[in-house]
Amino acid sequence: MVKQNQSGRKDTGMRVGFIGLGNVGAKLAGSLIRNGFDVMVRDTDEAAAKSLLEGGARWAESGRALAEACDVIVTCLPSPKVSAQVLEEKDGVLDGITPGKIWLEMSTTEAADVQRLGAQVEARGGIAMDSPVSGGCHRASTGNIAIFAGGRREAFEKVLPLLTTMGRQVVHTGKLGSASVLKVITNYLAGVQLLSTGEAFMVARKAGVDLAVAYHAIRVSSGNSFVHETEGQLILNGSYNINFTMDHEVKDVTLFDDLGKSFGVPLELSPVCVAAMNDGLKRYGPRVWSSQVVKRLEDDCGMDLRAPGFPEYLVDHEPEGKGAEVVVEHRRGYE
């Protein structure tokens, strides 16, 4: 049973450090704080931590200080390069790793890189896991996002109370790096679905079909997807505000393309997806919302994809609830 102390914090026996307070990271850290965990935070922009500090989090002056003070060190950063820097720099996380500490990499990164950094963590007696999330910022806000977790089973069971607080469905994917592979795969699928959703809407519009009708017809059909139900609404509103930027979209689909090519897979759709995302970045810039890649079609066709009644941004209306591990039947093993 998890007890609460007089400060309202949960007595889990784990002090949690969280580095990276961007669109997703701040929301994940917020779920831990909201649910009473003892949390220390760090970001290159201290202003990003303001609401978390007001909510009870403590500030760390360096990665090393955070790692020394905490039992679990979470990183949620924009690229493999930044993750490596945060761990390996002077007074970085690695300098504070001692036996028994757990590094939880929640960034979207390369399996090879998380394995390389994980080896350095384990050389110091620590434990490494990769635990990226999937499902959008709106579900990160409510603790209802999905989480993949790769690493040793005993480590997974130790951090499961944290994972089921930050997320609703948690999948233990296998060895270290397996979660990062699956995250890259799901992000690629979402990218393809985003492009196909835009094309479907444009063909419907050109054919004279009401786009609100098209949206709901697709939603109840075999053509439905998570992306259609979420980003599809933001396209029809015109805000495109998915809280995820074009440069990160390009990074993610490129990670998949590079991974597939490294295994000799004769990819066909992936290069098309990468080229379309790069064209969107070239036309509209790196910091526009990734959904705006669909604007390429609007500009090329001289026709918008607007429909009344769709939201400017997404809100998760599902009540926050305790997460649980997704039990995978017939799996061959955890490693």
Side-chain angles (χ1 to χ4, degrees):
M1 180 178 179
V2 177
K3 299 179 180 179
Q4 280 193 278
N5 60 31
Q6 290 182 341
S7 70
R9 289 175 175 163
K10 288 186 179 180
D11 184 11
T12 63
M14 287 188 295
R15 294 161 297 175
V16 185
F18 209 107
I19 302 178
L21 307 175
N23 288 334
V24 174
K27 294 174 176 62
L28 297 175
S31 288
L32 293 175
I33 295 164
R34 184 171 63 250
N35 285 281
F37 282 86
D38 183 351
V39 179
M40 178 177 278
V41 297
R42 178 161 179 76
D43 193 272
T44 53
D45 179 12
E46 190 169 350
K50 185 174 184 293
S51 63
L52 301 175
L53 297 172
E54 290 171 349
R58 294 169 291 134
W59 177 256
E61 291 298 332
S62 68
R64 177 176 187 164
L66 182 142
E68 289 176 340
C70 297
D71 304 297
V72 180
I73 301 95
V74 180
T75 49
C76 190
L77 299 161
S79 71
K81 181 180 178 180
V82 176
S83 287
Q85 179 182 337
V86 164
L87 264 74
E88 295 178 313
E89 66 186 353
K90 187 179 186 301
D91 287 328
V93 168
L94 284 173
D95 287 340
I97 293 290
T98 52
K101 292 183 183 289
I102 299 173
W103 171 49
L104 204 60
E105 170 65 293
M106 300 193 78
S107 317
T108 299
T109 188
E110 297 169 322
D113 218 53
V114 78
Q115 289 165 347
R116 182 185 69 81
L117 293 170
Q120 295 184 63
V121 169
E122 295 187 353
R124 290 162 171 78
I127 302 167
M129 295 193 68
D130 55 331
S131 299
V133 300
S134 184
C137 285
H138 64 300
R139 290 185 69 78
S141 294
T142 56
N144 289 327
I145 203 162
I147 301 179
F148 304 152
R152 284 183 277 172
R153 180 69 197 184
E154 58 270 26
F156 172 77
E157 290 174 354
K158 284 182 181 179
V159 299
L160 192 57
L162 301 181
L163 299 179
T164 55
T165 298
M166 292 185 283
R168 176 62 67 87
Q169 298 183 89
V170 181
V171 182
H172 186 211
T173 57
K175 65 183 180 180
L176 180 67
S178 60
S180 294
V181 169
L182 285 167
K183 169 62 172 173
V184 167
I185 288 171
T186 59
N187 279 14
Y188 161 69
L189 289 171
V192 171
Q193 290 161 13
L194 174 58
L195 294 173
S196 64
T197 294
E199 290 183 352
F201 282 159
M202 184 55 74
V203 170
R205 175 86 158 82
K206 286 277 192 178
V209 177
D210 184 303
L211 287 179
V213 173
Y215 171 83
H216 288 287
I218 294 168
R219 182 181 61 80
V220 300
S221 76
S222 60
N224 192 32
S225 69
F226 178 84
V227 170
H228 174 74
E229 289 195 4
T230 55
E231 295 184 66
Q233 296 193 71
L234 305 177
I235 292 165
L236 296 176
N237 172 274
S239 75
Y240 305 102
N241 188 359
I242 194 60
N243 237 329
F244 190 74
T245 54
M246 192 75 78
D247 53 349
H248 291 304
E249 182 71 38
V250 169
K251 176 204 74 172
D252 285 356
V253 296
T254 302
L255 282 173
F256 174 84
D257 197 64
D258 290 344
L259 183 64
K261 288 174 180 175
S262 75
F263 292 123
V265 178
L267 302 171
E268 295 180 283
L269 292 179
S270 177
V272 174
C273 181
V274 171
M277 296 302 181
N278 272 306
D279 186 52
L281 185 148
K282 181 180 178 181
R283 292 198 199 191
Y284 310 120
R287 304 307 293 168
V288 301
W289 301 127
S290 59
S291 299
Q292 199 165 331
V293 71
V294 171
K295 191 174 185 299
R296 295 162 60 251
L297 276 177
E298 296 179 305
D299 291 347
D300 292 348
C301 294
M303 184 175 286
D304 69 43
L305 295 173
R306 303 293 85 81
F310 289 91
E312 181 181 356
Y313 53 87
L314 298 174
V315 176
D316 182 18
H317 295 290
E318 184 179 356
E320 181 174 9
K322 187 66 174 175
E325 179 184 0
V326 175
V327 178
V328 180
E329 296 183 0
H330 310 304
R331 70 187 304 161
R332 295 180 180 178
Y334 289 112
E335 299 300 331

